[in-house]
Structure formats: structure tokens, C-alpha cells
């Protein structure tokens, strides 16, 4: 079963940082000023791997926010108390 995944970030530059950490080759695009990565997963386990990669990138690069949407769910990462770069 294929799962469509959309990863959003505050900018294309931030989305490119996330794309570099994903376990597959992914391309960041700009949509309405936000950074967007679209890809597909083959399983729930692969989806969880993408979410973990976004989490690592979020922490490593101290991003302000990121969101992963998949199926009817989403996971939001927010930098509470962090100042903008």
C-alpha cells in the first residue's frame, strides 16, 4: 500500500535541509512561500523513517517549524521558545 507524504517547512531553503536528511532522493519546491517536499512511502515503516529523518533535521538545523502529512494524519514540529535564525 502506497502512502503519499507531504513535508512542509517555513521556506524552500529549510525544506532543502530536510530533503538532504531523507533516506531517499527528494526535491524541495517552493509553494506560496513555503518549502514543500512530496514523496511516496511503500509502507508504514518507511513513513515512520521519513518522520524520524524530519525530526533529526529539525533538531540539527534548529528549524522554526515543519509538518509531515500522510494519510489522514500529520506530525508537527515547532520550536517553542527558539528565536528565528
Amino acid at each position: 500500500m502506497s502512502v503519499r507524504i507531504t513535508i512542509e517547512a517555513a521556506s524552500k531553503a529549510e525544506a532543502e535541509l530536510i530533503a538532504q536528511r531523507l533516506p531517499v532522493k527528494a526535491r524541495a519546491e517552493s509553494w506560496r512561500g513555503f518549502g514543500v517536499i512530496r514523496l511516496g512511502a511503500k509502507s508504514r515503516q518507511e513513513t515512520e523513517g521519513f518522520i524520524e529523518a524530519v525530526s533529526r533535521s529539525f533538531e540539527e538545523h534548529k528549524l522554526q517549524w515543519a509538518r509531515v502529512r500522510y494519510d489522514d494524519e500529520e506530525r508537527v514540529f515547532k520550536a517553542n521558545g527558539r528565536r528565528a535564525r
Side-chain angles (χ1 to χ4, degrees), residues 18 21 52-64 66 75 77-80 82:
I18 293 170
R21 272 293 214 163
E52 285 301 315
V54 172
S55 177
R56 285 190 304 271
S57 184
F58 178 80
E59 292 298 326
E60 177 182 331
H61 297 292
K62 296 181 177 23
L63 304 178
Q64 291 302 302
R75 173 82 186 268
F77 301 90
K78 288 180 136 180
N80 294 329
R82 268 196 227 148

Side-chain angles (χ1 to χ4, degrees), residues 24-85:
V24 297
K25 186 174 180 175
R27 189 178 77 182
E29 300 175 17
S30 183
W31 187 73
R32 293 186 179 181
F34 296 106
V36 178
I37 303 166
R38 292 193 172 102
L39 50 107
K42 297 178 182 125
S43 66
R44 180 72 174 188
Q45 183 178 14
E46 189 175 27
T47 301
E48 290 171 6
F50 292 146
I51 293 169
E52 285 301 315
V54 172
S55 177
R56 285 190 304 271
S57 184
F58 178 80
E59 292 298 326
E60 177 182 331
H61 297 292
K62 296 181 177 23
L63 304 178
Q64 291 302 302
W65 68 269
R67 176 175 37 215
V68 181
R69 294 180 189 203
Y70 55 99
D71 288 335
D72 291 335
E73 299 180 48
E74 70 177 27
R75 173 82 186 268
V76 178
F77 301 90
K78 288 180 136 180
N80 294 329
R82 268 196 227 148
R83 296 177 68 183
R85 296 191 285 155

